[in-house]
């Protein structure tokens, strides 16, 4: 049973995003507490190695296994509340709200719905918000801004990929709609506009003309390109948020 439950994510982008967002959260946490860091490491390891199993159990409606995995993944955050008190409740509640909304979309629209898939891209970014809460007892404003911006980027990238797939029929304006809310963060930290140039260029180029991809090799190539773009974007966001937000 353990062999079927434990394993790295099938999609490299999911694993990369989980680890990357965790590192960014650590960089934006400020002061580090030893016990808090251990809790954050436990949270990452559990989330990383049981991510697919948790999602698979939910899709297959295997309630007992899903509840077991949810309880297992929740343990470091419950311990964080016990250790830090009410200060860490808000970030954890926000993370729970994101997961709950994804479940609602899956139930209402189905797992294969583009909307479910696109919103699901926000889940691997959650460590960016939860890690600072665990390691320092609170998430500073810079961590909140970075998390929101990374979430908009992850969701927009998922929508962008959907518009590029030859077997999909998604309107190329959807990535623009998912990215537009990022502008609300500019007044809070204007320097983030530097990091936002590349996604704006990508979204605008997609509106002018899409290059559709249908073969497996082309899809894999696009996936690695988008993962590289994510790493560059996340690096800029982490640097700018730490210095200016």
């Amino acid at each position: 049973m353990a062999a079927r439950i434990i394993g790295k994510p099938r999609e490299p982008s999911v694993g990369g995003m989980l680890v990357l967002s965790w590192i960014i959260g650590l960089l934006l946490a400020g002061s580090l507490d030893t016990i808090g860091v251990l809790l954050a490491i436990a949270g990452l390891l559990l989330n990383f190695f049981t991510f697919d199993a948790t999602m698979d159990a939910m899709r297959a409606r295997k309630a007992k296994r899903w509840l077991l995995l949810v309880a297992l993944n929740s343990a470091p955050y419950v311990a964080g509340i016990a250790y830090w008190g009410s200060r860490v409740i808000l970030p954890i509640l926000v993370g729970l709200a994101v997961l709950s909304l994804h479940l609602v979309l899956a139930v209402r629209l189905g797992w294969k719905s583009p909307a479910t898939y696109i919103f699901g891209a926000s889940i691997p970014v959650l460590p960016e918000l939860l890690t600072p809460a665990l390691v320092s007892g609170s998430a500073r404003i810079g961590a909140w801004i970075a998390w929101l911006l990374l979430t908009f980027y992850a969701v927009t990238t998922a929508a962008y990929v959907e518009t590029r797939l030859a077997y999909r029929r998604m309107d190329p304006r959807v990535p623009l709609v998912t990215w537009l809310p990022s502008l609300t963060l500019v007044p809070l930290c204007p320097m983030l506009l530097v990091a936002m140039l590349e996604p704006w260029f990508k979204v605008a180029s997609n509106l002018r003309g899409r290059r559709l991809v249908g073969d497996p090799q082309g899809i894999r190539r696009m996936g690695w390109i988008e993962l590289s773009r994510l790493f560059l974007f996340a690096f800029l966001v982490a640097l700018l948020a730490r210095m200016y937000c």
Side-chain angles (χ1 to χ4, degrees):
M1 184 175 179
R4 292 195 297 270
I5 289 179
I6 299 173
K8 64 181 182 180
R10 288 186 292 269
E11 295 186 27
S13 59
V14 170
M17 202 177 301
L18 283 168
V19 174
L20 182 63
S21 59
W22 187 90
I23 292 172
I24 293 174
L26 194 66
L27 292 174
L28 298 179
S31 59
L32 304 181
D33 177 85
T34 302
I35 294 178
V37 170
L38 292 175
L39 290 174
I41 292 173
L44 174 65
L45 292 175
L46 286 170
N47 297 160
F48 186 90
F49 286 107
T50 66
F51 186 91
D52 282 348
T54 304
M55 292 298 176
D56 290 344
M58 193 187 306
R59 293 188 190 100
R61 299 187 178 184
K62 295 181 178 179
K64 289 183 179 180
R65 175 176 292 195
W66 181 69
L67 289 173
L68 172 64
L69 289 166
V70 168
L72 190 63
N73 278 276
S74 302
Y77 307 104
V78 173
I81 294 174
Y83 182 66
W84 292 111
S86 60
R87 290 185 294 168
V88 300
I89 289 180
L90 182 57
I92 292 174
L93 286 178
V94 170
L96 183 61
V98 171
L99 294 170
S100 299
L101 182 53
H102 182 251
L103 179 59
V104 170
L105 288 174
V107 171
R108 293 292 182 87
L109 304 178
W111 287 102
K112 295 184 179 180
S113 165
T116 303
Y117 168 76
I118 290 170
F119 185 79
S122 64
I123 295 176
V125 184
L126 285 174
E128 197 284 325
L129 178 64
L130 298 175
T131 299
L134 288 181
V135 303
S136 63
S138 64
R140 294 163 36 171
I141 184 64
W144 281 95
I145 293 172
W147 167 69
L148 285 168
L149 191 53
L150 286 172
T151 299
F152 289 136
Y153 186 86
V155 170
T156 298
T157 297
Y160 168 79
V161 169
E162 287 286 297
T163 66
R164 293 281 310 279
L165 296 175
Y167 50 86
R168 297 291 197 192
R169 292 289 186 270
M170 181 163 289
D171 193 317
R173 290 173 292 185
V174 173
L176 176 63
V177 172
T178 58
W179 183 242
L180 274 174
S182 66
L183 289 176
T184 61
L185 302 175
V186 174
L188 300 176
C189 191
M191 284 301 295
L192 287 175
L193 278 170
V194 175
M196 295 167 68
L197 290 176
E198 187 275 333
W200 273 114
F201 174 79
K202 180 169 68 176
V203 169
S205 299
N206 199 45
L207 287 173
R208 290 201 302 270
R210 293 175 293 163
R211 292 182 297 169
L212 298 179
V213 178
D215 61 291
Q217 184 177 355
I219 293 173
R220 282 195 299 271
R221 186 185 304 114
M222 181 174 62
W224 284 112
I225 290 173
E226 292 308 314
L227 186 59
S228 300
R229 283 175 161 174
L230 169 65
F231 272 80
L232 175 60
F233 180 77
F235 170 76
L236 287 174
V237 169
L239 180 64
L240 294 169
R242 186 174 177 83
M243 293 178 63
Y244 300 105
C245 298

